[in-house]
Amino acid sequence: MAITLVNPDGLPEVDAYRQVSIATGSKTVYLAGQVAWDADGVTVGVGDLAAQVEQCYLNVATALAGVGASFEDVAKMTVYVVDWTPDKFPLFLEGVARAAAKLGVTPVPPGTLLGVAALDVPEHLVELEAIAVLD
């Protein structure tokens, strides 16, 4: 495995992610931001943040699998959420948990969550991008 996730002493432990990822692989994979489209380009969960987060994570998993990778290979994730406020965090975590249950993984690489004014189309509430490293 090319990625080791750690929480160094002196930094807070956060359930949703690890603070640091150490990559030792030789191939870096950059995923385009994934939105809540299904395979036909139809938005899943219009108006439902948890459903859209879930679909984004499922799409990232599909993209990773397409290049022979998985969430175990992800070194960093960035999440963009429209009109983010901290009270939306439980819905975000619900979507992550639902995706994790379907995928049988707990995706916890270092991550950044950013609030944005808008995404590519008005019905998209979240976009998720990832960087993976393979041996």
Side-chain angles (χ1 to χ4, degrees):
M1 183 179 336
I3 302 294
T4 302
L5 302 177
V6 297
N7 278 320
D9 291 339
L11 293 176
E13 279 200 34
V14 180
D15 290 338
Y17 62 90
R18 301 300 174 262
Q19 294 284 4
V20 176
S21 119
I22 302 164
T24 57
S26 59
K27 182 195 269 185
T28 307
V29 178
Y30 299 90
L31 272 62
Q34 296 299 305
V35 293
W37 278 329
D38 64 13
D40 296 320
V42 175
T43 300
V44 173
V46 173
D48 182 343
L49 180 61
Q52 289 200 18
V53 168
E54 177 184 4
Q55 186 63 44
C56 288
Y57 272 84
L58 295 175
N59 289 350
V60 166
T62 299
L64 290 167
V67 296
S70 71
F71 271 102
E72 289 183 349
D73 302 304
V74 174
K76 173 80 166 76
M77 297 176 70
T78 304
V79 182
Y80 304 91
V81 182
V82 174
D83 297 326
W84 175 257
T85 56
D87 64 309
K88 294 180 180 179
F89 202 60
L91 290 172
F92 176 80
L93 291 178
E94 177 186 332
V96 173
R98 290 184 346 204
K102 284 184 178 177
L103 297 168
V105 300
T106 303
V108 292
T112 301
L113 191 152
L114 301 167
V116 296
L119 292 171
D120 59 332
V121 295
E123 51 273 349
H124 289 161
L125 304 175
V126 63
E127 185 167 338
L128 176 62
E129 61 184 27
I131 300 170
V133 179
L134 304 176
D135 285 324

